[in-house]
Each structure stands twice: as structure tokens, then as C-alpha cells.
Amino acid sequence: DGGITQSPKYLFRKEGQNVTLSCEQNLNHDAMYWYRQDPGQGLRLIYYSQIVNDFQKGDIAEGYSVSREKKESFPLTVTSAQKNPTAFYLCASSHLQRKNTEAFFGQGTRLTVV
Amino acid sequence: QQPVQSPQAVILREGEDAVINCSSSKALYSVHWYRQKHGEAPVFLMILLKGGEQKGHEKISASFNEKKQQSSLYLTASQLSYSGTYFCGTEREENQGGKLIFGQGTELSVKP
């Protein structure tokens, strides 16, 4: 079955550590996205990538980094510079250059700083 | 630039109807609607494009008023499974795919 897979589902991090969240898709989508969701709030765009080896900052990129070495993969690193990293992180992918194209989301990673 | 959703929360009995609104201060190309159950991935419901084109679920309807930059999602004869948080996501240009600006969400609870 085609889909988008995030791992791990739950992640605990000590203050000062970097952690990497995995996102893999087998939908042959060109574009991939990372969103952050805080309780009672909507999704906010962290980074996105429309092509391999290229990515753009979203609205809240500070303290995060990404890479896109393969079309299928778009890992997100939450660095120690991110002041408040506890949140629910969602990865999404979509086709580009098509009308009516929706985003497909992964199941999310819940990151908690302890 | 975040679209504003209203109401913030609504409680229904099974079989009742609800309308969720999404308003933007900027000109839009499209509005996307998603439903999210707690702790799960948002699930696509519908896309409405400038010019009237739509794609979405058969049992859910929505409208897009281009003059007012407002979209409304209509949930009729609600079922328990409709419970969740509804988000609108907006595109200001075409071919943005998942690069959406989301509203803050509307929490819908359907009671037996």
C-alpha cells in the first residue's frame, strides 16, 4: 500500500540534544512538508521541499533543519536551538503541477522534552 | 495571514447539522478541508478552487465565496464518526500542493 510513514511515534529528548524525525513516502510525490502542531492550534509550516536536494524555509524554521537526498525521504532534525520543541510533528507529501492536489499526512511524531 | 475559523467549537446531537466557516484577509486560489482525530493524521475532505472546481467526499459539501475569500463546510445529518477537529488550509497560488496556511481548527463533538 502506498503511504507516508513517520517514525518514531513518540520521542523523548533531553534539553540540549538534537533529535531527528524520520519521514518516508512511497507515493512518488515530488513535494514534502513538515508541520508543527501545538495544542489547540492549527498546523504551522516548518520546511518544505519540492525537489531533491532543495528545500525552503516555512513560517517557523528557526531551530530546525532538513535534508532531501532522496525523493522518498525528508528527515527533520530538531536542534538544541529550538527553544520550545515539545509538539506534535506532521510530515506530508503531495504532487506538484496538478490541480486539485491534496496533501497526504503521516501519523505524526509526538516529541517531548524532558 | 492565518485564516480564521468559526466557531472554535461546536457540540451536536447525532442527526443535527453544522456549518464551519473559514475566512481569509488575502485573495485565495483554493481552500482545503481536513478532519483530524486526536493524535492522528489529518484526513483530506475537500478542495475548492477559485472558479468553482471542487474535489472531495460525496457526503460532505462546501462552498467558496471568492469575493469574500470565505469557505464554509456543511456537515448534514451528523454521525458520531464526524467528531474531530476540522481545519481549513489555504493556498494563495496554484500548484502549492501541501504548502498550506491552516486555520486554528474547529472542534466538533457529536453526541448520541
Side-chain angles (χ1 to χ4, degrees):
Chain A
D1 281 341
I4 182 164
T5 303
Q6 289 185 241
S7 62
K9 190 169 182 180
Y10 298 95
L11 188 56
F12 296 89
R13 189 195 94 172
K14 291 184 180 178
E15 285 195 27
Q17 283 183 338
N18 292 355
V19 289
T20 298
L21 283 59
S22 170
C23 178
E24 304 274 335
Q25 55 97 3
N26 60 3
L27 299 165
N28 199 31
H29 285 167
D30 300 301
M32 296 186 74
Y33 313 84
W34 275 104
Y35 286 93
R36 170 181 171 139
Q37 187 174 30
D38 293 284
Q41 295 192 32
L43 288 68
R44 292 182 291 168
L45 184 64
I46 305 172
Y47 267 99
Y48 65 100
S49 168
Q50 297 180 333
I51 193 170
V52 173
N53 292 325
D54 187 51
F55 45 83
Q56 309 294 329
K57 291 182 179 179
D59 299 320
I60 55 165
E62 187 175 349
Y64 299 98
S65 65
V66 292
S67 62
R68 186 93 185 273
E69 296 176 3
K70 298 186 300 182
K71 187 176 183 178
E72 301 80 18
S73 178
F74 191 41
L76 173 75
T77 296
V78 184
T79 75
S80 56
Q82 170 47 238
K83 292 186 170 68
N84 185 19
T86 295
F88 189 49
Y89 291 87
L90 285 159
C91 180
S93 68
S94 70
H95 287 293
L96 282 177
Q97 307 306 323
R98 287 190 194 183
K99 290 174 70 175
N100 281 346
T101 183
E102 72 266 32
F104 292 79
F105 284 85
Q107 292 297 308
T109 293
R110 188 166 299 279
L111 173 64
T112 304
V113 173
V114 295
Chain B
Q1 293 188 8
Q2 182 183 28
V4 176
Q5 288 185 231
S6 62
Q8 288 190 338
V10 59
I11 299 174
L12 299 175
R13 294 286 182 190
E14 263 188 300
E16 292 181 338
D17 302 338
V19 180
I20 301 172
N21 298 306
C22 174
S23 296
S24 173
S25 59
K26 306 285 186 183
L28 300 175
Y29 169 73
S30 73
V31 179
H32 300 219
W33 285 97
Y34 289 82
R35 176 172 60 217
Q36 185 183 30
K37 305 275 186 178
H38 183 70
E40 298 181 6
V43 173
F44 168 74
L45 297 175
M46 179 161 281
I47 291 176
L48 302 103
L49 297 183
K50 184 178 174 179
E53 195 170 337
Q54 295 187 4
K55 169 186 170 184
H57 203 284
E58 288 179 359
K59 294 188 177 180
I60 291 176
S61 63
S63 64
F64 180 21
N65 185 323
E66 294 172 35
K67 276 189 178 178
K68 293 185 177 180
Q69 305 306 324
Q70 181 177 28
S71 177
S72 296
L73 184 71
Y74 304 99
L75 302 164
T76 56
S78 59
Q79 305 170 17
L80 295 175
S81 62
Y82 286 12
S83 292
T85 302
Y86 289 77
F87 292 98
C88 67
T90 57
E91 287 180 289
R92 295 187 58 199
E93 303 166 7
E94 63 182 291
N95 295 330
Q96 296 296 298
K99 183 173 173 283
L100 301 169
I101 302 173
F102 284 91
Q104 81 280 16
T106 294
E107 189 170 353
L108 178 75
S109 297
V110 181
K111 308 289 186 187

